[in-house]
Amino acid sequence: MVANQLNFTKNTFEEAQKIRDEILASGGTDEEARQAYIEIISIPKEILEQFNQKRLNEKSNENIEISQTKNKNIDSQ
């Protein structure tokens, strides 16, 4: 879970840097680049909670599938 959060944050950070650099390269001002960077890098709490819930749901589904597979194997013996 923590690794997923770190990757999400890292990807957001890299995207913000990319957008900032593109704005500057195309002749935008430092202020425009800074504002775009801040808008992208600012991750609302709700977005992080949704991300975490999605990962928890995926993990739960994986555990259910593993459990069902084990039960099928036991039943077939």
Side-chain angles (χ1 to χ4, degrees), residues 1 4 6 8 10-12 14-15 17 21 25 28-29 32 36-38 40-41 47 51-53 55 64 71 73:
M1 173 74 83
N4 287 331
L6 290 174
F8 177 77
K10 177 183 169 234
N11 291 340
T12 302
E14 289 174 349
E15 180 65 19
Q17 287 181 320
D21 293 345
T29 66
E32 291 170 330
Y37 176 85
I38 289 171
I40 295 168
I41 202 71
I47 298 294
F51 176 82
N52 289 337
Q53 189 60 50
R55 294 296 177 246
I64 290 169
N71 288 340
N73 290 339

Side-chain angles (χ1 to χ4, degrees), residues 13-54:
F13 174 74
E14 289 174 349
E15 180 65 19
Q17 287 181 320
K18 178 182 168 192
I19 296 297
R20 179 198 62 203
D21 293 345
E22 288 174 359
I23 290 170
L24 292 172
S26 66
T29 66
D30 287 340
E31 180 59 28
E32 291 170 330
R34 186 186 68 76
Q35 185 61 37
Y37 176 85
I38 289 171
E39 286 177 16
I40 295 168
I41 202 71
S42 299
I43 304 169
K45 180 181 175 186
E46 293 79 21
I47 298 294
L48 287 176
E49 288 173 349
Q50 289 172 2
F51 176 82
N52 289 337
Q53 189 60 50
K54 181 180 176 188

Side-chain angles (χ1 to χ4, degrees), residues 45-77:
K45 180 181 175 186
E46 293 79 21
I47 298 294
L48 287 176
E49 288 173 349
Q50 289 172 2
F51 176 82
N52 289 337
Q53 189 60 50
K54 181 180 176 188
R55 294 296 177 246
L56 286 173
N57 290 344
E58 289 172 357
K59 189 67 172 168
S60 178
N61 290 339
E62 288 174 14
N63 290 338
I64 290 169
E65 290 173 9
I66 290 169
S67 178
Q68 289 173 344
T69 301
K70 286 181 181 178
N71 288 340
K72 285 180 185 177
N73 290 339
I74 291 170
D75 291 341
S76 65
Q77 291 179 352

